[in-house]
Every structure is written in structure tokens, then in C-alpha cells.
Amino acid sequence: MKKALTILFSMLTAAVVRAEAIKDIRIVNQAGEEYDISSVAAFTSFNVGEQVPDRETILSSIAIDVNRMRESGRYSYVNARMNVEPDGVVLVYTVVHKHRLRRIAFVGGSKSGRKMRSKSELEIGQFADDSTFEMAAEKLREAYRDYWYPDAKITWTSEANDELGTVDVAFKIDAGQKMGIKHIEFEGNDLIDDKKLQKVIQQKEKRWWSFITGSGKYKEEVVDADVYSIKSLYMNNGFLDAQVSEPVLDDTTPKKSKLIFKIDEGQRYRIGEVTLSGAEAYPVREIRRAIRLRPGAIASVENAEAGSEGIRAFYGNRGYVRTNVRPVYDANAETGIVDIEYEVTEGTIGYIQDVNISGNERTLDKVIRRELVMYPGEKYNRSRIQTSESRLRNLNYFEIVTINPESTGEGDKYDVNVQVKEKPTGQFTAGVGFSSVDSLVGYVELSQGNFNWKRWPPIGAGQKFKIRAQLGTERNDLEISFIEPWFLNRQLSMGIDLFHREARYFSDSYDQQNNGARLSLGKPLSRWTRGNLSYTLEQFNVFDVADSASQAIKDEEGRRLKSGLDYTWTFDSRDRFFNPTSGNKTTVTPYVAGGMLGGQTDLFGARVRATQYWPMIWDMIFNLRGQIESVEAFGDSKANAGTYGDGVPIFDRLFLGGSYNLRGYEFRDVGPTDPNTDDTVGGNSMAFVTAELTYPIWNKIRGAVFYDWGFVNVDSWDFDPSEYADDWGIGLRLDLPGFPLHLDYAWPITYDERYLDGSGRFNFLIGHTF
């Protein structure tokens, strides 16, 4: 017993001995000269004389100190070390202080100092060092390039006062010659015309609209990329020997400079024999189906590489990991035929052991795992890996998504490593807008695309949250929405919306206010289809009814509660969500309100919408879209029908006219009209069709030519088109980031001369049509 106590005492004594005392803390510069410790006291974890359990704690703490000091922006250089001495440890922090910026000067150049200071993003009083000034100089160079001075040279000098801790900086600017690329010429291109070549390069010619687009600025940094793009275009059109030299800049007249690309097209090849070698696990004939190359077709390097990808996918979808494929070209310049042999190195069949996720600092693991379609224990499948990558990217939570197999060293077992890099998913936006329907509108919106209501900060659970307020001359809105995309841990979305809407643009004869809530459940039914069931409880208030209004509108004055259910089936095969070029989107929505659902509005109806896109020659896109809908009252609503609508309240009646359908007419101006007051009172059945052709003008700008046709009838389920209205027009489509703008001018063709004079109308719309 005594021996055991002796051993225990010795162990406790050793533990105490291992504790370290902080003997001293020193702050030095790179020359070893000491600073006053107070200059970094806010960042150090220890005090002189403090007892610390062990050296590992000291090392980990001073590493944290160093990171905090670097992130503070006060220091150009920070490092730390621990010196062990007999009576304790000495912590030595090596730092180089930044100085506060006292004065900024600009010498030379053609722009004002105030403008250049703004472009440099420097502020008097900020901490600055040499790297700060070099970054500011680069921003100034970029600014001068934007001002059409591509050769601007900017140098800087600084003078520091160590005693005061301040620094002055002066930028010397040699703007050089102002230059614009008026012409881009191609020499030697016999079989591919200038227009196709200009389309693939980043450098553009100066045009009258360059003050908007910036086209025509000489961009030396894109020269190599443009040469590569031209060569790729040739090689993908069979010119496997094509050579493109670095362009020659003719700046004899700087503002009307010329850029000349010299091209040697060489022989144009067609595909000869396509063979495989190295394939043993499967018959060559079976693998050959993955290669979509046909003898006699134009030899495209892009298509040949797609054949390599097809072979890798063939093996990868059968469990093979790390299959290599290399296309070997045997070109005969005399015959213009190229034979292609795919050399295959078969990998090995692998099984997934673990799925490891890294890089997600905010997003929960489960949010990522539920999007994956490969699981531990399964055979490796390349298509499932790619599908998982695509699904994670589509979440729009990550800048980078990579999924790669890694051998575990245990035979055929592989770990699948999912690596992500998160990006900001929250947005705060505010602004002022104007449209031909809403007039002037100011808005504020706060949204989070990766919301988590269970923790603070509320990020990481994959939910969607948005609150938006709009205040304008014709509308006041407040909307709050929340979406849980995996309700009850199933691929079932649940959404909740609360809203207040006040509209004065429906009619000159009344205003309308809606307050309500909406609960919805949605589920994908197949790759292209989705179903969504929604319940809405909404109170309508029709107020400020004009004395001269139609009796049909006066009958609707006051409040009415609506309790409704709708189901939407959606088919969507479009290639892109916004600005698609091909595909179809169709929605079918039956709906009912009142009856067993309660409320003061009894009606049922159905709506069908469809839009189809076709790509055309010369990058034109033809779009055909339309809608058909009818609504009918029943029960008490039908029994208490007013002057018009057969019991359907005015807020559920159907109208046409405006930016969304018949653009040659005012908003909601097409439909049954009260002949006594000229008020459009709406109908119970409608249909419209729009045919539109858009064509490229420049970068994100497209022109449009369109024809709109439609009708609104009084009775339910009456689709007699005899009383139709139509129009035609022209427009512009500006695909500005976050601000897509449609500008249209349309002229009515067939219209009721009692109410319309046939003059054209201008419409503009911010956003996208269905």
C-alpha cells in the first residue's frame, strides 16, 4: 500500500512539474527590435506569470493568436515562437505593423484625383502597407483599361513615419494612348466565315452601342484565349492541322485600331476507321455503342473526346474505377481521312466503403447526404457519382463540388470523398423599379436559400426563407415565405406563405386588398414532372369603389373570405430555367373553393398553361406559349349571383391585356365590358396564344417579333373564339444579371372600336414570363 501511494505521489508531482510558467512575452520586429507589448495585448492569450498545463496548450493558443492578428488587418507580417528556458517559457511574437494612411496623391493621368481615389478603394486612416498599394495600383490600371487606355502604366512610392505610425502614398500615372478596336480581321479563313469566328472570341469590335456594352476595348489579357478558341472551332470542324498565329495589332490610328488574326486552315478531315484496343472485360462491339462517331462524318476533336468519355462512362457504370481512355489519331493529309483508335486501360471493379464529406462549414451533413444517390456497400457507379454532383450544384449552396473515389488500400474497397466549397446563400436587396403595370415601386427583400430555423445564425439546413416588402404608387405588398424541401425527411417539400397585397392597378374604378396564408406540399413524380397540392385561406376586400363604377363592381364591394384548394401538375423539359432555348413547360391546375372547405366563395375551375421553345438558325429562338382557363360558381355564390359573372367574384374573373399576354392593350382591358360605364368586368372563360421569335443583337441583348391572340367570354366553359382580340409588335430582351428586362411595343389588330382606338402601346416587364 505504501509503495502504491509513493507511485501515485510521484505521478502527481510529475504532472505539476510538466506545467509551464509564462516567464515573458516579447513583441519584436523582423530585425529583432522590441515593441511595447501593449500594441498587441488585445490579441495575446496569456499574461506574464500565468501557469499553463502543458506546452501543447501554449502552442495551440499562440497559433490562434497569430490568426487573430492576421485577420485584424493591422499587420503586414505575423509569426510566433516559444523559447523554453529553465525557469519558464518566453513567447516571442514577430510582427510588422501596418501604418495608417495619411495622404494619397496622384501625379499625371487624364482623370481627376477624386475619381481615381474612388477607383483605388483607398481610404484616409485605413491600415496600409506595400501590398495594399500594389492592389490599389492594379485597380487603377483596370480602371484606365475601362477608360480605353490599355497601356496605362501606374507606379507608386510611399513614405512612412514610424514615430507617428503614418504613411503617405503617391501614384504616378502614365495613361498612354487611348485605343479602340474598330475592326477585327481574319486572314486565311476560306471555309469558316468571319461572323462565326467573331462569335467565339472575347475581343469585340467598337460599335455605336459600345458606351453601354464596352465592346471595342482592347483586352491584351484575352489574346491567348481567343487564339485557342479559334483553333478549337477549326478542330471541331475537321481542320485537325489548323494553325492560328498571335494577332497583329495595327494601332496606326489608335482610336480606330485593327486586330488581325492569321489562320492556316490546313486539310479538312473526315472520319475513317474507328477501333478499340485493350478492352478485355466486354466485347468490343458492345463498347463501340458508347462511341457516337460514324465513318464519313466531319472529324471533330470534341466528338472524339466525347467518345472517350462514353467509354469511361460505359466502364464506370459497371463498377470499374479509374479506367483510362486515350484517342490516337492517324491522319492522312492526302486523302483527308483520319482513323481513330481508342486505347483502353481497364480499371478494376470497386465497392463503396464510406462516403466522406468535407468543406461544409455551415451546411449540415444530412443536407448534402440526402442529395447523394450512391451509398456505402454499393458497387461503384460513375453515372450516380455525376448525378450526385449535379444535384449538389443545383442546390446553389456551393462554389465548388467534387466527388472522387479514393482507394482504402483494402482490395476493391473505395471511399467516395465529397468535397464542397460553400458560397454566400443569403441576400439583402433593395431598389426602385418601374413597369407599365405597377408604375413606380420601391422594394426591400431579405432572403436565405440555405436557412435553418433551429439555430443562430440561421444557416445550414437547406430550407428557404424570404421576406419582401414593396411600396409603390399602384401597389403595397408584404410577403413572408418558408420552404422545407425535405419535409419529414422525405423528398416532399412543404411551403408556408403569409401575404398582404394592396393593388390599385386592377381598375380605375376600385382598389383591392388581399390578406391570407398558403400551405403547400410538393413532390417530384418523375424526372420531368412534379405535383403540388396547396390550401389557401384568403380575405379579399374591394374598396374605394367609384360612384361611376359598373354595378357589377359595386356588387363586389366589401370583404369576402375564400378557402380554396388547388393541385398543380407540372411537366418541365426546358434546357434552362431562365432564358431557355429548347424544351417544354406545361402546367395543369384544377382548383376549388368553398363548399366543405368553408368561406364565402364557392367556385371551381381549371387552368392549363404551356410554353414550347425551338432553337432556329442563326441563334434565333421561336417560342409558342398559351393559356386556357375557365371558372364557375356553385352553391351560395351561384344562388346570390350579381349583375355579371354568374356568381364568380370579380377577383376570380378572367381578363386579358398587358405585359403578360395581349401587349397591344392596357392591363386587364380585354374582356366583357359594361356598356353603361365602359368598365371591363371580366369573364368566366379565356384563352390566349403568343408566338414570339427572338434573335441575337449583341451579347445579352436580343430582339423580338411577336403576335398575340386571345379572347375572354362571359359564360363558364365557353371557348367560342369569335370575339377575339389580337396584336403584333417588336421588342428587346436585356438579360441583365438579376434584372432581366423586356421592352415591347405592340399595335392592336382586331379590337372593339367602342372602347379602343387602335393606337400602339409600350410595355416593359422586369422578370420572366411563364
Side-chain angles (χ1 to χ4, degrees):
M1 181 68 177
K2 183 177 180 180
K3 184 177 181 181
L5 289 173
T6 301
I7 294 172
L8 178 60
F9 177 78
S10 299
M11 293 173 64
L12 292 173
T13 302
V16 172
V17 169
R18 282 198 299 271
E20 300 287 356
I22 306 298
K23 177 184 175 182
D24 194 11
I25 299 176
R26 298 172 189 163
I27 311 300
V28 301
N29 61 20
Q30 287 180 307
E33 300 167 340
E34 290 199 26
Y35 288 113
D36 182 353
I37 188 173
S38 64
S39 64
V40 295
F43 301 102
T44 55
S45 301
F46 302 111
N47 298 310
V48 175
E50 184 176 345
Q51 294 287 326
V52 184
D54 51 50
R55 295 176 185 175
E56 287 73 17
T57 300
I58 296 174
L59 290 172
S60 62
S61 295
I62 63 175
I64 294 172
D65 294 346
V66 168
N67 284 335
R68 291 169 61 197
M69 294 167 74
R70 288 171 177 166
E71 291 171 358
S72 72
R74 293 170 174 260
Y75 307 96
S76 299
Y77 175 83
V78 183
N79 209 337
R81 69 179 188 273
M82 178 180 68
N83 294 341
V84 181
E85 299 183 2
D87 53 348
V89 298
V90 177
L91 304 184
V92 182
Y93 293 86
T94 303
V95 301
V96 177
H97 284 270
K98 290 183 180 180
H99 290 67
R100 287 194 180 273
L101 186 57
R102 186 179 65 170
R103 185 178 293 117
I104 308 169
F106 298 93
V107 180
S110 59
K111 303 299 175 182
S112 69
R114 178 181 295 179
K115 184 171 289 186
M116 288 299 95
R117 180 180 293 187
S118 174
K119 294 295 183 181
S120 73
E121 299 181 12
L122 293 176
E123 297 288 343
I124 297 296
Q126 76 174 83
F127 289 103
D129 60 4
D130 289 357
S131 63
T132 307
F133 300 141
E134 185 53 44
M135 285 191 291
E138 182 55 38
K139 290 172 183 174
L140 293 173
R141 293 184 195 104
E142 183 63 33
Y144 265 89
R145 283 194 287 268
D146 284 343
Y147 291 131
W148 301 76
Y149 294 92
D151 297 324
K153 294 179 174 59
I154 298 172
T155 57
W156 57 269
T157 57
S158 64
E159 184 177 346
N161 187 321
D162 294 331
E163 292 184 6
L164 297 177
T166 61
V167 61
D168 300 338
V169 64
F171 293 93
K172 184 178 179 181
I173 302 173
D174 178 5
Q177 194 66 254
K178 194 169 187 177
M179 183 186 298
I181 303 299
K182 185 65 176 177
H183 300 289
I184 298 177
E185 296 182 0
F186 302 92
E187 296 180 358
N189 57 315
D190 296 325
L191 298 177
I192 295 184
D193 61 38
D194 288 7
K195 192 172 182 179
K196 289 182 179 178
L197 292 171
Q198 286 183 339
K199 191 173 180 180
V200 301
I201 62 175
Q202 297 179 51
Q203 181 68 64
K204 302 298 180 185
E205 294 178 333
K206 188 176 180 181
R207 293 287 186 264
W208 65 266
W209 55 77
S210 293
F211 72 96
I212 298 175
T213 64
S215 61
K217 294 175 184 174
Y218 177 57
K219 302 178 181 179
E220 187 177 4
E221 68 275 12
V222 305
V223 166
D224 290 341
D226 285 348
V227 169
Y228 176 79
S229 296
I230 294 171
K231 188 169 183 178
S232 296
L233 177 65
Y234 270 96
M235 295 188 74
N236 290 330
N237 281 275
F239 298 92
L240 304 184
D241 304 326
Q243 297 295 322
V244 183
S245 62
E246 186 172 317
V248 176
L249 177 63
D250 180 358
D251 58 355
T252 308
T253 307
K255 293 184 180 180
K256 297 182 180 180
S257 296
K258 186 186 299 182
L259 198 63
I260 305 167
F261 289 88
K262 295 184 179 181
I263 302 167
D264 179 4
E265 292 183 329
Q267 174 70 48
R268 191 174 200 177
Y269 291 90
R270 293 185 176 272
I271 294 173
E273 188 177 2
V274 180
T275 58
L276 283 88
S277 63
E280 297 177 357
Y282 298 94
V284 170
R285 182 178 59 186
E286 188 175 344
I287 303 171
R288 180 68 175 78
R289 296 187 191 127
I291 306 171
R292 299 186 177 183
L293 295 181
R294 297 292 177 264
I298 295 295
S300 164
V301 171
E302 186 176 39
N303 291 341
E305 290 298 330
S308 299
E309 178 65 20
I311 296 171
R312 282 190 287 268
F314 176 90
Y315 278 92
N317 293 342
R318 288 159 177 78
Y320 282 77
V321 183
R322 306 197 188 285
T323 296
N324 292 319
V325 183
R326 186 171 74 96
V328 178
Y329 301 90
D330 182 9
N332 187 324
E334 293 182 2
T335 62
I337 298 296
V338 58
D339 297 331
I340 302 176
E341 179 185 4
Y342 288 96
E343 294 181 350
V344 180
T345 303
E346 296 179 332
T348 57
I349 292 179
Y351 293 85
I352 299 174
Q353 179 165 293
D354 291 313
V355 177
N356 304 315
I357 298 173
S358 62
N360 54 317
E361 298 177 3
R362 299 185 299 270
T363 305
L364 301 179
D365 269 20
K366 73 172 187 177
V367 173
I368 296 174
R369 290 188 185 278
R370 69 195 185 190
E371 300 295 333
L372 305 178
V373 293
M374 76 281 187
Y375 309 98
E378 288 187 339
K379 184 187 288 187
Y380 175 83
N381 187 294
R382 193 165 182 271
S383 289
R384 287 177 174 267
I385 296 283
Q386 293 175 330
T387 299
S388 299
E389 273 192 4
S390 178
R391 290 178 61 158
L392 288 177
R393 289 193 185 98
N394 289 341
L395 290 176
N396 206 28
Y397 302 162
F398 310 110
E399 288 181 17
I400 300 172
V401 178
T402 60
I403 303 180
N404 295 304
E406 181 182 8
S407 176
T408 63
E410 300 179 14
D412 59 357
K413 300 292 192 299
Y414 288 81
D415 287 344
V416 173
N417 297 324
V418 180
Q419 294 178 303
V420 299
K421 181 180 179 183
E422 294 177 315
K423 66 179 181 181
T425 52
Q427 284 189 327
F428 176 80
T429 56
V432 176
F434 194 85
S435 79
S436 52
V437 174
D438 299 327
S439 294
L440 184 65
V441 175
Y443 70 91
V444 176
E445 181 177 305
L446 175 67
S447 65
Q448 175 55 255
N450 189 10
F451 189 68
N452 184 353
W453 67 273
K454 292 183 178 180
R455 75 177 188 188
W456 187 265
I459 304 173
Q463 299 149 359
K464 319 264 183 216
F465 175 80
K466 180 177 76 173
I467 179 168
R468 180 183 177 94
Q470 292 187 131
L471 181 65
T473 56
E474 295 294 327
R475 66 186 301 171
N476 296 326
D477 297 341
L478 176 63
E479 300 178 37
I480 301 173
S481 67
F482 171 83
I483 299 175
E484 169 56 77
W486 285 74
F487 184 53
L488 302 177
N489 291 320
R490 299 183 179 183
Q491 202 170 3
L492 178 71
S493 67
M494 186 271 289
I496 300 174
D497 297 274
L498 305 175
F499 54 86
H500 163 83
R501 302 186 184 112
E502 187 173 325
R504 294 177 287 280
Y505 57 85
F506 286 155
S507 171
D508 294 333
S509 298
Y510 71 96
D511 294 338
Q512 181 175 306
Q513 186 182 92
N514 306 7
N515 294 296
R518 183 178 179 88
L519 177 67
S520 59
L521 294 172
K523 183 176 177 59
L525 305 176
S526 70
R527 179 182 179 185
W528 308 110
T529 60
R530 181 177 182 86
N532 197 80
L533 180 66
S534 300
Y535 170 75
T536 304
L537 183 64
E538 189 169 7
Q539 185 179 70
F540 294 83
N541 183 18
V542 176
F543 63 100
D544 284 350
V545 177
D547 293 338
S548 59
S550 166
Q551 187 61 44
I553 297 174
K554 292 179 178 179
D555 291 344
E556 302 294 339
E557 187 172 12
R559 301 178 185 273
R560 184 196 290 249
L561 187 66
K562 179 181 177 183
S563 174
L565 198 65
D566 64 78
Y567 178 80
T568 299
W569 174 89
T570 302
F571 171 85
D572 193 348
S573 64
R574 296 173 298 171
D575 58 345
R576 291 198 296 262
F577 187 71
F578 294 124
N579 302 318
T581 62
S582 65
N584 176 275
K585 181 180 180 183
T586 298
T587 63
V588 180
T589 306
Y591 53 87
V592 63
M596 293 186 297
L597 298 172
Q600 299 164 296
T601 306
D602 302 321
L603 59 83
F604 65 95
R607 177 189 315 114
V608 179
R609 288 177 171 175
T611 182
Q612 176 71 45
Y613 296 87
W614 291 274
M616 312 290 284
I617 60 173
W618 304 319
D619 198 26
M620 294 191 296
I621 300 167
F622 181 66
N623 172 221
L624 186 65
R625 69 179 184 271
Q627 176 176 329
I628 185 168
E629 182 175 0
S630 190
V631 59
E632 182 175 355
F634 68 92
D636 292 341
S637 291
K638 195 172 186 70
N640 300 320
T643 310
Y644 287 89
D646 200 21
V648 176
I650 194 164
F651 49 77
D652 278 309
R653 291 180 207 157
L654 306 175
F655 300 81
L656 287 176
S659 301
Y660 298 98
N661 39 70
L662 298 184
R663 285 163 280 188
Y665 306 85
E666 287 191 24
F667 181 65
R668 289 165 56 109
D669 215 27
V670 176
T673 304
D674 185 340
N676 299 316
T677 63
D678 292 347
D679 283 323
T680 305
V681 295
N684 291 356
S685 299
M686 63 82 76
F688 83 86
V689 176
T690 291
E692 181 171 287
L693 181 71
T694 65
Y695 48 89
I697 295 178
W698 188 262
N699 287 346
K700 301 289 186 179
I701 303 175
R702 299 180 67 87
V705 179
F706 57 84
Y707 171 76
D708 305 322
W709 177 95
F711 64 85
V712 182
N713 291 335
V714 173
D715 297 329
S716 303
W717 318 107
D718 176 12
F719 298 109
D720 180 0
S722 57
E723 297 294 329
Y724 70 87
D726 60 350
D727 62 65
W728 76 279
I730 56 176
L732 288 175
R733 306 289 177 260
L734 282 71
D735 186 20
L736 307 177
F739 196 75
L741 184 62
H742 290 202
L743 304 174
D744 293 315
Y745 196 89
W747 294 268
I749 301 174
T750 306
Y751 53 90
D752 192 331
E753 295 181 355
R754 293 175 296 173
Y755 310 112
L756 296 173
D757 60 7
S759 59
R761 290 196 58 79
F762 177 67
N763 288 273
F764 59 97
L765 172 68
I766 299 172
H768 299 272
T769 56
F770 74 85

